[in-house]
Amino acid sequence: MEKDQVNPDFKVVIIGGSAGSLNVLMQILPQLPAIKSFAIVIVVHRKSTDEQTFEELIELKSAVKVKQVEDKVPLLPGFIYVAPSNYHLLFEKNNTLSLDTSEKVNYSRPSIDVSFESAAEVYKNQLVGILLSGSNADGTNGLKVIQNEGGTVIVQNPESADMPFMPNNAIQNMIPDYILNIQEILQFILSMDN
Amino acid sequence: MIEDIELETLINEVYEYYGFDFGSYSRASLKRRVNRIYHLDGFTHFEQFLSKVRSDPEYYRHMVDEITVNVTEMFRDPSFYTVIRNQILPLLGTKPFIRLWHAGCSTGEEVYSMAILLKEAGLLQKSLIYATDINAKVLETAKKGIFPLRMMKEYSENYRDSGGKEDFSNYYTANYGIAKFNEELAQKMVFSQHNLVSDTSFNEFDIIFCRNVLIYFDNDLQKRAINLFDDSLAVLGFLALGTKETIKYSISPGKYKQLDREKIWRKIK
């Protein structure tokens, strides 16, 4: 089935974060109107017990609809998808999402690097990768791959992050297209439907 | 990173030389796994890797062992085991004999978890647990019932969260970094190689577990596997999948009834 590859005709915003990132997401997502031309995928490190609560919170506060991620769920513009805890989240060429329970990467599952790399391979220049607050090195390699594949890379300004290590690590190892404060990230996402 | 076309070449060659068909495996995960072993084993040219796989059956087996994912744990998702303990076992317990199948059992952690539940429910003696995998190496580990001692803290927490009341450490003997599970638990286990891609049904079961295996298959192969389980399940038997897996793309609705929010379906006709 993956052989029937079609060029995705929509954009994907993939957001990775760890400690301190939920707070950032809750400043951004509730400000978004219903989105049309792109999908948002969120990969954050968290405890499995928080899982439902976070998705319910987004559903409650945001105008964008949340689609529950199950294996092989179609990825569609207009929706938010959140990587389930304890699985890596991967992207298939037929615009579906796959899950994987293989070894942790950067002590993490889901790993941001794994999802960024996989998304970059499928969505190429249609992909925007955003790395938020966190205290681990996950995400940096993924951002490099996104950039190599022609996608756009945004790193949260470490000065605006509760845990600056993760965005700092990215900035020290690559040149992001944008380094933005929380409100600027929101403006960037808002501009994507224009 | 290896190229898509290289991955397809590998899939074709493996099928041609060894008859094993990875063609219906999910590409995103398979590509990561092949890429991982390619780099771990120090290859720099794809041709070189391909020729090693073709000419060296030993290496081919090693590659298959490495690209199939064998990460598993005891009492993974404790709430799942709570439902098995409180809702499913009382139903199965009314039968004179209970047949269970763990398909894609890997190193057996979930099989031993189940044996513990059966023992605590007083049902182990009348049960038979089939445990299968395509990977012969992991089955050897599963047979021995030996798991890393460092995992026991987490497993014992999972066990307790699932409603376990016993002292978890009574189920194993600790020795030099390993935990050897009591022989009694393994008495009713039968291990055997079975391939969900190509093998057929081999018995009728009251419950089938296949958790976090189908995620590595594409939709067509998922459909095949689920229909194979359907052929292998008694009416009113149960099918238990991983927490993010579903039968809804694979089988006609109405044939199975889902238990609340759990990934457990009962065959109703």
Side-chain angles (χ1 to χ4, degrees), chain A residues 50 53 56 78 80 93-94 105 117 132 137 146 152 166 192:
Chain A
D50 305 338
T53 351
E56 280 161 13
I80 294 176
K93 299 219 154 113
N94 64 356
V105 174
E117 286 164 18
L132 304 178
I146 291 176
T152 305
M166 202 152 153
M192 288 183 58

Side-chain angles (χ1 to χ4, degrees), chain B residues 158-180:
Chain B
N158 283 354
Y159 165 77
R160 208 185 45 228
D161 291 347
S162 79
K165 301 273 190 293
E166 304 296 316
D167 182 349
F168 188 66
S169 64
N170 287 341
Y171 289 114
Y172 61 84
T173 312
N175 213 342
Y176 299 107
I178 59 163
K180 164 98 175 86

Side-chain angles (χ1 to χ4, degrees), chain A residues 1-3 51-52 69-73 84 86-88 90-93 98-103 105 109 114 121, chain B residues 1 4 8 26-29 31-33 36 69 71 76 212 215-219 222 243-244 246 248-249 261 263:
Chain A
M1 63 171 197
E2 283 87 352
K3 284 164 213 151
E51 188 154 318
Q52 226 58 34
V69 173
E70 285 191 330
D71 181 54
K72 305 297 181 291
V73 72
N86 226 356
Y87 290 89
H88 292 304
L90 300 172
F91 295 76
E92 301 287 349
K93 299 219 154 113
S98 281
L99 299 171
D100 176 318
T101 60
S102 60
E103 300 80 0
V105 174
R109 189 173 53 216
V114 167
E121 269 208 62
Chain B
M1 200 61 148
D4 288 350
E8 298 307 317
S26 270
R27 288 300 188 274
S29 175
K31 193 170 173 188
R32 268 193 78 223
R33 302 299 293 175
R36 174 179 163 275
V69 173
V71 177
R76 182 185 167 116
N212 299 313
I215 50 178
Y216 302 107
F217 298 166
D218 71 13
N219 292 104
Q222 289 189 357
T243 49
K244 299 295 168 188
T246 181
K248 76 177 173 211
Y249 307 120
R261 287 177 75 172
K263 292 311 177 74

Side-chain angles (χ1 to χ4, degrees), chain B residues 86-114:
Chain B
N86 296 336
Q87 295 182 40
I88 309 284
L89 288 187
L91 292 170
L92 295 181
T94 61
K95 303 178 75 83
F97 189 67
I98 309 167
R99 286 193 185 86
L100 307 95
W101 178 18
H102 287 262
C105 69
S106 186
T107 41
E109 279 82 340
E110 296 203 14
V111 189
Y112 283 81
S113 306
M114 199 54 211

Side-chain angles (χ1 to χ4, degrees), chain A residues 125-171:
Chain A
N125 62 358
Q126 300 284 79
L127 184 67
V128 177
I130 305 178
L131 190 66
L132 304 178
S133 167
S135 46
N136 138 334
D138 201 14
T140 296
N141 285 333
L143 289 180
K144 287 186 196 166
V145 177
I146 291 176
Q147 202 162 52
N148 286 341
E149 296 285 348
T152 305
V153 165
I154 298 173
V155 174
Q156 181 185 355
N157 186 344
E159 285 170 22
S160 71
D162 286 349
M163 296 288 170
F165 183 89
M166 202 152 153
N168 264 329
N169 189 66
I171 293 166

